[in-house]
């Protein structure tokens, strides 16, 4: 459909790549994920068929994957209307091509069953969707409040109001929180203020730790060091106060003053000159 009289179909670029690459790169993908992709594909075909079109070139290379692994049909070059004579040669690999298209004769009637052969089933897409193999709980999806991409809801963290942050953006946030003067609001116990601008709810440190364990452990380490440094500084301040009070009280006695100075030197210098952590 690239003719000037017919217009063209433009599609977003799918970073998830195509199903062909996904199958190659994920040989051990779990059944639920495979099933989810198959269901998405059947819904897409059902939608196309119910609009009177047949794709005619269903193969993994023509199925793109959104970040949530929702499949998206692509390459509409070979799309035919129902019941028309086949006008274009097909690029489909033989293993995905319906037998009626392989016969050495003009195909005078394109049926949706052509696409269904390519996905290994011959009932209609809707009938296939009703098969028990595809009766699964729909996966809850959520749009990330930071990057706006859609992910399965368990691939990130959410506040009680359902504001969702994907793992990638959460990782960025946790790393940002570890910087001095961080703009990201993390509490010392690992709880995080929800990223939605008008939301006061918290996301627990536990869910943060589960979602991005490495970044979180790193952040925790930094917080612990800060805490130790603050505690040491406070300890030193208390000691200094007591020494000052003692000096005031015994200010006129040079022996006591000398004695206190010795304590001051030997005790108070015993801390790191850079960060004041007590040795
Ligand atoms: Zn995100
Ligand atoms: Zn929220
Ligand atoms: Zn130090």
């Amino acid at each position: 459909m690239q003719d000037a009289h017919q217009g063209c179909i433009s599609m977003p670029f799918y970073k998830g790549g195509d199903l062909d690459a996904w199958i190659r790169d994920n040989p051990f993908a779990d059944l639920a994920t495979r099933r989810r992709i198959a269901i998405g594909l059947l819904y897409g075909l059902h939608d196309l068929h119910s609009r009177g079109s047949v794709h005619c070139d269903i193969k993994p290379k023509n199925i793109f994957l959104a970040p949530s692994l929702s499949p998206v049909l692509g390459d509409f070059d070979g799309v035919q209307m129902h019941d028309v004579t086949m006008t274009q040669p097909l690029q489909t690999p033989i293993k995905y091509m319906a037998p009626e298209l392989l016969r050495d004769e003009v195909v005078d009637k394109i049926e949706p069953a052509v696409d269904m052969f390519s996905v290994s089933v011959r009932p209609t897409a809707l009938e296939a969707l009703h098969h028990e193999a595809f009766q699964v709980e729909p996966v809850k999806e959520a749009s990330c409040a930071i990057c706006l991409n859609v992910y399965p809801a368990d691939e990130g963290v959410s506040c009680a109001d359902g504001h969702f942050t994907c793992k990638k953006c959460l990782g960025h946030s946790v790393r940002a929180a570890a910087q001095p003067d961080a703009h990201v609001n993390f509490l010392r116990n690992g709880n995080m203020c929800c990223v939605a601008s008008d939301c006061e709810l918290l996301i627990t440190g536990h869910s943060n730790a589960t979602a991005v364990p490495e970044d979180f452990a790193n952040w925790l380490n930094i917080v612990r060091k800060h805490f130790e440094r603050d505690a040491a500084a406070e300890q030193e301040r208390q000691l200094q106060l007591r020494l000052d009070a003692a000096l005031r009280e015994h200010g006129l006695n040079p022996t006591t003053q000398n004695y206190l100075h010795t304590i001051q030197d030997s005790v108070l210098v015993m801390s790191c000159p850079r960060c004041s952590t007590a040795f």
Side-chain angles (χ1 to χ4, degrees):
M1 289 195 184
Q2 286 153 353
D3 188 276
H5 300 285
Q6 291 182 294
C8 69
I9 295 175
S10 78
M11 295 178 68
F13 173 69
Y14 288 99
K15 275 188 282 186
D18 61 46
L19 185 58
D20 191 53
W22 186 85
I23 291 170
R24 190 191 60 223
D25 298 342
N26 297 277
F28 303 111
D30 59 89
L31 183 63
T33 307
R34 290 162 189 265
R35 210 181 254 169
R36 211 166 79 221
I37 294 173
I39 290 172
L41 176 58
L42 286 170
Y43 269 116
L45 283 176
H46 170 60
D47 191 47
L48 190 70
H49 294 165
S50 61
R51 287 158 203 265
S53 298
V54 184
H55 189 283
C56 290
D57 195 11
I58 296 293
K59 57 186 175 187
K61 265 196 184 317
N62 283 344
I63 296 158
F64 299 98
L65 294 172
S68 61
L69 290 182
S70 304
V72 181
L73 283 176
D75 193 352
F76 292 92
D77 287 354
V79 168
Q80 309 279 332
M81 298 309 286
H82 279 186
D83 302 335
V84 297
T85 305
M86 192 87 183
T87 53
Q88 286 174 302
L90 289 167
Q91 306 298 314
T92 320
I94 284 175
K95 66 174 170 172
Y96 298 117
M97 202 184 278
E100 58 266 38
L101 301 181
L102 289 173
R103 282 183 223 120
D104 200 12
E105 55 196 52
V106 174
V107 180
D108 58 359
K109 226 173 156 225
I110 303 291
E111 297 283 355
V114 164
D115 284 347
M116 297 313 291
F117 180 85
S118 305
V119 292
S120 302
V121 280
R122 274 295 200 165
T124 66
L126 196 60
E127 282 162 2
L129 278 169
H130 287 143
H131 189 278
E132 62 175 305
F134 295 120
Q135 302 313 305
V136 289
E137 290 280 305
V139 171
K140 249 181 85 187
E141 292 187 332
S143 170
C144 172
I146 297 177
C147 69
L148 306 180
N149 281 332
V150 176
Y151 292 92
D154 59 359
E155 286 183 16
V157 292
S158 303
C159 77
D161 269 1
H163 302 129
F164 172 78
T165 312
C166 76
K167 278 188 189 180
K168 205 169 153 196
C169 293
L170 182 66
H172 287 310
S173 304
V174 175
R175 287 196 292 281
Q179 301 298 316
D181 303 322
H183 60 100
V184 182
N185 226 341
F186 262 66
L187 308 182
R188 189 161 269 170
N189 59 9
N191 290 351
M192 177 183 83
C193 296
C194 175
V195 290
S197 56
D198 50 354
C199 182
E200 300 291 317
L201 294 169
L202 289 176
I203 291 161
T204 65
H206 176 73
S207 16
N208 290 333
T210 312
V212 286
E214 249 173 62
D215 291 321
F216 191 79
N218 196 21
W219 171 81
L220 208 59
N221 206 16
I222 290 168
V223 169
R224 211 198 53 218
K225 280 189 188 138
H226 281 207
F227 177 76
E228 283 168 1
R229 185 195 57 194
D230 292 352
E234 176 59 18
Q235 206 176 17
E236 182 180 317
R237 203 180 63 86
Q238 295 289 342
L239 195 52
Q240 186 70 59
L241 283 176
R242 267 182 282 151
L243 276 170
D244 287 349
L247 275 172
R248 271 197 306 278
E249 202 174 319
H250 305 284
L252 296 174
N253 181 340
T255 319
T256 316
Q257 241 183 42
N258 260 344
Y259 177 58
L260 287 171
H261 275 135
T262 312
I263 296 178
Q264 197 168 21
D265 288 346
S266 59
V267 176
L268 293 184
V269 175
M270 294 298 280
S271 58
C272 172
R274 291 175 67 91
C275 70
S276 312
T277 301
F279 289 120

